[in-house]
Amino acid sequence: MSPQAPLPVLPLRSDAAVRRGPALNFSMNDESVPAFAGESVAAALMAVGWRELRRSPRGGAPRGAFCFMGSCQECLVWVADRKLPSCQVPVSEGLSVESLEWREARR
């Protein structure tokens, strides 16, 4: 049997293959977050390293986006006067989002 040639190393970044919407900014807990039109709030937050969106009511363990389809409710946030799964909320310029803990601390 002849030795196999090594597999080519492929880049992990998909920027060249992905068509993104225009860049924009929204706010999470009064902090500006860069995003692209067409992304969900959860995806945009994850892209900048914001993983924790709330805490478990029982043990206080960190919770964040899990299913990315709105079923699990782990990524709940406040958008205006509604509590919504962040994976189902599209980002938009100037959108203001608050974590549950952030809003409770401000009231």
Side-chain angles (χ1 to χ4, degrees), residues 31 52 55:
E31 291 184 36
E52 184 181 321
R55 293 247 168 207

Side-chain angles (χ1 to χ4, degrees), residues 2-71:
S2 64
Q4 290 183 332
L7 295 174
V9 177
L10 300 175
L12 296 176
R13 294 190 55 88
S14 61
D15 291 349
V18 175
R19 292 184 196 174
R20 296 187 184 272
L24 55 86
N25 288 288
F26 72 100
S27 71
M28 174 68 174
N29 296 347
D30 288 339
E31 291 184 36
S32 182
V33 178
F36 294 94
E39 292 180 323
S40 69
V41 167
L45 291 171
M46 187 168 278
V48 298
W50 197 311
R51 305 287 191 262
E52 184 181 321
L53 298 174
R54 67 180 191 92
R55 293 247 168 207
S56 166
R58 287 195 186 136
R63 301 289 193 197
F66 179 71
C67 73
F68 281 91
M69 59 184 187
S71 297

